[in-house]
Amino acid sequence: MAPSPVEVVPYRPEYRAHFERLNRQWIEKDFRIEGSDAASFADPHGVFVAPGGEVFFALVDGQVLGTCALKREDAETFELCKMAVAPEARGRDLGDALMRAALATARERGAKRMVLVTNSALGPALGLYRKHGFVTTREGPEIARETGYSRADVEMAVTL
């Protein structure tokens, strides 16, 4: 039997708790929740959607199994934020589906570039980003100081 298809949908208020749940799972596994994490969990619409970005949810059979956010940086740049897939759903292309939605939306909204920050220990995430054209632009502890995320030590970008 073929696996159920992945449906990617934009922000819906009823999915807000899933945004927090999915992101807490990966952050708390190896890192700690920081102030800007908590702020985005409390109001993903206000942090991402209202200023011109988006929050996406990946659903399989109506179950929310993945999420990511786009934050508008400027007229030509979006930041990819808070990419998370439930542990039980990894390997089922949800990350790819979310990434395709994020890249398509950024292009539709006139962006020329997408950036992200991540951690060098997150091998599967780095692989996903590279698969979709992201290249490392900087590495090092200064990224954590500049972004306010103590876990950030890699910056990546893709031209759209």
Side-chain angles (χ1 to χ4, degrees), residues 18-19 21-27 56 58 65-69 81-87 90 94-95 98 129:
H18 294 289
F19 181 76
R21 172 184 60 85
L22 290 162
N23 277 288
R24 277 188 178 277
Q25 284 177 328
W26 77 264
I27 295 170
F56 297 100
L65 296 175
T67 189
C68 73
C81 306
K82 302 289 189 273
M83 171 76 75
V85 173
R90 292 184 185 148
L94 276 75
L98 287 162
Y129 304 144

Side-chain angles (χ1 to χ4, degrees), residues 16-88:
R16 188 203 62 76
H18 294 289
F19 181 76
E20 179 173 358
R21 172 184 60 85
L22 290 162
N23 277 288
R24 277 188 178 277
Q25 284 177 328
W26 77 264
I27 295 170
E28 292 176 340
K29 180 180 174 289
D30 296 309
F31 307 103
R32 64 180 174 81
I33 301 297
E34 301 183 50
S36 50
D37 294 317
S40 70
F41 296 162
D43 186 12
H45 185 273
V47 171
F48 300 110
V49 181
E54 190 57 79
V55 176
F56 297 100
F57 296 94
L59 287 73
V60 176
D61 295 330
Q63 186 178 7
V64 179
L65 296 175
T67 189
C68 73
L70 279 179
K71 184 175 183 184
R72 173 70 85 172
E73 292 293 315
D74 58 42
E76 296 189 342
T77 309
F78 277 99
E79 180 182 3
L80 182 71
C81 306
K82 302 289 189 273
M83 171 76 75
V85 173
E88 68 274 14

